[in-house]
Amino acid sequence: MPFSVCTRDCYDTCSILSEFRDGRLRVKGNPEHPITAGFLCPKGALLPKWFHAEDRLKKPLVRTGERGSGKFRETDWDEAIGLVAKKLRETIEGHGSESVLVYQYAGDRGVVNYAFPLRLFHYLNTAMLDYGICDRAGQEALRDVYGTAVGMDPEGLKNQKLLVYWGINASWTNLHGFTLARKYGLEIWTVDVIRTETAKRSDRFFRIRPDTDVLFALGVAKVIIEEGLYEEAFVRGNVYGFEEFTNYVKTLSLDYVSRETGIGTDEIRTFAREFAEKRGVIHIGYGFQRSLAGGEAVRAIAILPALVGHRFGFIYDMKTIDKSYAEGAFLRTKPAKRIPQMKLAEYIERGEIKFLYVYNSNPLASLPNQNRLRKALLENDVFVVTHDIFLTDTALYSDVVLPANTFFERLDIADSYYHRYIALNEPVAGLHGKSNSEVTRLLAKALGIDNPHLYESDEEVIRKVLESNGISWEELKAGGFVRVPEKPRTWETPSGRIEFYSQRAVERGLSPFPEYRKFKGKYPLRLLTPTYRMTITSQYHNTYWMIDPNLYINPADAGWRGIEDGDTVEVFNGNGSIRTEARLTEDVPRGVVMLYKAFWARILGWNANFLAADETVEKYGNASAYHSTWVDVRKV
């Protein structure tokens, strides 16, 4: 059976055994893979349904009506590629190469499919994205403390006793990791605002209020230090600024921490004492750091594993190989203009983007403040090309839509941002569309470019990426996956140590220590928009038809608004409003409401991002702040 790998934007990056028999795709988890362990998540098990979906794009489309109207005509690939190339050339000649932006993200994480198209745009010296939608604040925060956001190998959990899931619903979003922790017999705690499925399946749940993660972590650190529970030899030898940090947390009142977080002082002490005794490690989630307080929170949380003697006692990101050859930034002849990902609408409004090429992403579902973004596209002169498997919301607003294929239809490899395995993806069958690399070669040819780097085959790129990382192509082909050994690591900070006093943060105009700030919106309820179990951002809504569009609200908040379970409600703020049904639950605390994120507006009529704030956290890389959104709710 051919080897496949799920290239979705997911921690687990599952190795799959696939076959195409009697006209149908069949999949199962690779039993030999130490993480996949022979089973797939519910989304992965349904991949054949996605592959065979009737609404897959089969022919290129050219817009004939207004943006968003859905009025297109079918055409052939020659005309479509010719039209895109012509408009691309005209835009560069008329407005300069920096008026062209390639917008892509991790909708498909195959190394070639993700990176190869960037070669063309590097060659053309276009503008590029400065990524900020997902984990940027946490990345910057961890670099402040450790010099890297790459944490521990999850297989190292077998030598640990306690795993804290901080702001991550791992039983939904990292199912194989959650299963691995249970297999190793770890005690599991969860720190979160919502009583998630993971919280319900944990040994302990610590419910905190929004934005108080930083304060809770500092309170825990205070107890560990003042009660002498820290690993003194490790801290003295490997931590920069410990004395200063000790003095900093001395000024913090545990009663104040308790009042703000909602966690009792006895619970804070219990957390600190047992975390120190069991030398806990922390899986730091992505969701809560997408907020105005997120970067400071991750900085504070990151200090705790070091206090109990871990060199890299956190899970956040993983980097096993250098993939830069696939992207080909060496083709540029001048530095790239970087456009913050979260400010796409702003740059369109300012007239700085005249040509937008979208692949591996659906920004008209995933970006915040959707009304502003759609208005910007309708009112400004920008030519939009989308390369996708389906007619997404972004495709609806495009001038040309190019059909993409799936990872079952092409050769690729994928690494993981969770574990240390590289997996092979072999083509199983071919139904519709072309890969990102195929379209790149067609565009390069239509533009009359003869640079050989734009015409390398997928296998050539893969072989060179693997060779540059000391990985055998033959070994990967034979086994379907290869473990990348971890090299000796150091802390890439100015001091060469773990920095409780962060010099890098100071250079960016921040306090040397994590700071707690209170944030208050114009509306009374904090809106949280986590991912749903059966979708990955906007993916699979149109194929699995398993979504949950309900608003979850605490009975106390619903009661005085006259809202009962099942009532139709309007959720609104200055960005827009949506209508849905209310579900009353104690899983959501008072003052907070929850909607699952990024469903297809063209199907549902709205999604949570019509409400989401488009502020960014500038000192943390213009990171997103989705969860710093405030709304109100009324019964309709």
Side-chain angles (χ1 to χ4, degrees):
M1 298 175 71
F3 293 112
S4 300
V5 55
C6 183
T7 58
R8 297 284 75 87
D9 189 6
C10 171
Y11 291 100
D12 300 15
T13 316
C14 291
S15 178
I16 300 171
L17 300 179
S18 305
E19 66 173 339
F20 194 75
R21 179 162 42 91
D22 300 327
R24 302 297 297 178
L25 176 70
R26 293 169 171 81
V27 298
K28 63 180 180 180
N30 186 346
E32 302 302 319
H33 194 282
I35 305 297
T36 307
F39 76 96
L40 300 175
C41 75
K43 297 182 289 288
L46 288 173
L47 281 169
K49 186 175 182 179
W50 170 75
F51 176 77
H52 290 286
E54 287 295 323
D55 59 337
R56 284 187 59 179
L57 292 170
K58 301 170 181 65
K59 292 184 178 181
L61 304 175
V62 177
R63 182 168 63 86
T64 58
E66 291 192 6
R67 291 194 193 280
S69 67
K71 294 180 179 179
F72 296 92
R73 64 175 174 86
E74 291 186 345
T75 187
D76 58 29
W77 278 95
D78 288 342
E79 183 192 4
I81 292 294
L83 178 58
V84 173
K86 178 176 180 290
K87 191 64 179 180
L88 184 53
R89 188 183 297 111
E90 290 174 353
T91 303
I92 292 173
E93 291 172 355
H95 301 280
S97 61
E98 291 183 343
S99 69
V100 175
L101 174 67
V102 53
Y103 186 106
Q104 48 77 238
Y105 202 60
D108 186 298
R109 294 186 58 260
V111 169
V112 176
N113 211 52
Y114 176 91
F116 190 86
L118 298 177
R119 288 187 172 195
L120 175 62
F121 295 93
H122 281 307
Y123 178 87
L124 295 171
N125 291 309
T126 72
M128 309 295 282
L129 275 187
D130 186 12
Y131 305 115
I133 195 170
C134 184
D135 61 346
R136 181 64 179 269
Q139 291 265 354
E140 298 294 338
L142 287 163
R143 291 188 188 111
D144 288 340
V145 180
Y146 291 92
T148 178
V150 175
M152 66 181 292
D153 177 354
E155 290 184 283
L157 290 173
K158 61 178 171 286
N159 301 316
Q160 305 301 324
K161 296 178 180 178
L162 170 65
L163 175 63
V164 179
Y165 284 120
W166 200 306
I168 174 174
N169 188 7
S171 67
W172 279 15
T173 61
N174 179 215
L175 177 59
H176 292 83
F178 186 82
T179 303
L180 192 70
R182 284 297 190 206
K183 172 186 172 184
Y184 290 154
L186 272 73
E187 185 174 345
I188 293 176
W189 298 354
T190 291
V191 179
D192 214 320
V193 174
I194 306 293
R195 186 186 288 113
T196 63
E197 187 64 27
T198 302
K200 294 172 184 176
R201 297 173 65 183
S202 296
D203 298 296
R204 287 190 183 172
F205 173 44
F206 298 83
R207 170 178 273 172
I208 59 173
R209 297 187 179 118
D211 295 338
T212 65
D213 307 78
V214 58
L215 204 54
F216 183 43
L218 289 174
V220 170
K222 174 185 175 71
V223 174
I224 290 174
I225 292 170
E226 292 182 355
E227 295 191 5
L229 305 174
Y230 62 95
E231 292 287 330
E232 184 174 1
F234 177 86
V235 168
R236 298 291 178 193
N238 299 293
V239 170
Y240 176 86
F242 176 69
E243 296 298 335
E244 294 90 338
F245 180 75
T246 297
N247 292 331
Y248 177 64
V249 295
K250 274 182 182 178
T251 66
L252 194 63
S253 159
L254 217 57
D255 288 332
Y256 175 71
V257 173
S258 177
R259 286 195 304 272
E260 292 295 299
T261 63
I263 305 288
T265 54
D266 287 344
E267 280 188 281
I268 297 169
R269 291 189 180 93
T270 297
F271 187 110
R273 291 163 182 165
E274 294 195 24
F275 183 85
E277 177 191 350
K278 297 166 184 175
R279 299 189 68 237
V281 297
I282 303 175
H283 189 151
I284 304 171
Y286 295 158
F288 75 94
Q289 56 88 55
R290 298 175 195 143
S291 69
L292 296 174
E296 296 293 288
V298 174
R299 279 177 66 194
I301 295 163
I303 286 169
L304 301 181
L307 278 175
V308 299
H310 291 294
R311 289 178 53 82
F312 298 96
F314 62 91
I315 293 172
Y316 191 78
D317 197 4
M318 180 59 67
K319 183 180 179 182
T320 53
I321 59 171
D322 179 0
K323 299 173 280 190
S324 59
Y325 179 77
E327 178 176 336
F330 52 81
L331 294 169
R332 298 194 76 89
T333 56
K334 63 179 182 180
K337 174 184 179 179
R338 294 283 174 178
I339 293 179
Q341 187 174 19
M342 308 312 295
K343 296 187 176 184
L344 178 63
E346 178 183 328
Y347 277 75
I348 292 172
E349 291 165 348
R350 284 159 41 178
E352 294 191 35
I353 300 171
K354 297 296 183 182
F355 186 106
L356 182 65
Y357 187 92
V358 181
Y359 75 95
N360 278 6
S361 190
N362 186 11
L364 268 73
S366 59
L367 283 178
N369 201 348
Q370 281 291 314
N371 284 319
R372 180 185 182 185
L373 177 57
R374 289 162 191 247
K375 186 172 184 284
L377 287 171
L378 288 170
E379 295 182 354
N380 291 273
D381 178 23
V382 55
F383 191 87
V384 183
V385 180
T386 295
H387 185 200
D388 207 300
I389 301 167
F390 300 102
L391 191 66
T392 62
D393 283 275
T394 304
L396 275 182
Y397 277 70
S398 300
D399 295 279
V400 177
V401 182
L402 305 174
N405 62 13
T406 69
F407 61 81
F408 291 109
E409 296 162 285
R410 58 177 178 261
L411 180 68
D412 215 330
I413 58 172
D415 63 344
S416 168
Y417 53 84
Y418 173 66
H419 56 70
R420 299 199 61 83
Y421 293 90
I422 306 296
L424 174 65
N425 187 78
E426 297 176 304
V428 181
L431 292 186
H432 313 295
K434 296 184 185 296
S435 71
N436 292 337
S437 59
E438 285 181 277
V439 170
T440 303
R441 296 181 193 103
L442 290 173
L443 283 172
K445 183 177 180 181
L447 289 165
I449 302 170
D450 61 4
N451 189 295
H453 290 292
L454 298 176
Y455 299 97
E456 280 189 303
S457 71
D458 294 349
E459 184 173 330
E460 286 177 303
V461 175
I462 290 167
R463 282 177 173 270
K464 289 178 181 177
V465 168
L466 293 175
E467 182 182 357
S468 69
N469 287 277
I471 298 170
S472 165
W473 167 242
E474 287 71 26
E475 182 183 354
L476 182 60
K477 282 198 73 175
F481 63 88
V482 171
R483 178 178 167 81
V484 182
E486 185 173 8
K487 297 176 182 177
R489 301 173 62 190
T490 57
W491 300 294
E492 298 173 20
T493 57
S495 65
R497 295 183 172 195
I498 300 170
E499 295 202 354
F500 287 11
Y501 182 108
S502 174
Q503 299 176 79
R504 182 175 181 269
V506 170
E507 289 174 2
R508 299 205 312 285
L510 295 167
S511 165
F513 308 115
E515 289 188 326
Y516 171 59
R517 285 180 57 199
K518 292 184 181 182
F519 296 95
K520 187 173 178 60
K522 295 179 180 178
Y523 296 85
L525 297 171
R526 185 69 169 267
L527 174 64
L528 302 183
T529 54
T531 194
Y532 184 54
R533 184 186 187 193
M534 292 305 297
T535 57
I536 299 180
T537 308
S538 67
Q539 289 177 317
Y540 304 133
H541 178 175
N542 65 310
T543 51
Y544 296 170
W545 298 101
M546 297 181 186
I547 67 166
D548 181 353
N550 295 303
L551 176 81
Y552 289 88
I553 184 170
N554 187 277
D557 289 324
W560 73 266
R561 289 175 171 85
I563 296 169
E564 296 183 359
D565 195 71
D567 281 349
T568 298
V569 295
E570 181 184 15
V571 190
F572 61 95
N573 63 13
N575 292 338
S577 67
I578 63 98
R579 290 191 177 191
T580 189
E581 288 188 4
R583 290 286 177 261
L584 277 55
T585 176
E586 296 283 354
D587 291 344
V588 175
R590 293 187 66 173
V592 173
V593 291
M594 186 186 78
L595 287 167
Y596 291 113
K597 69 175 181 179
F599 299 136
W600 284 32
R602 63 167 298 214
I603 297 173
L604 188 61
W606 58 271
N607 76 25
N609 286 326
F610 281 75
L611 302 165
D614 58 359
E615 289 182 81
T616 64
V617 190
E618 291 189 8
K619 291 183 179 179
Y620 282 93
N622 278 306
S624 62
Y626 288 89
H627 299 301
S628 292
T629 298
W630 282 264
V631 299
D632 204 348
V633 180
R634 58 185 165 223
K635 183 177 178 178
V636 177

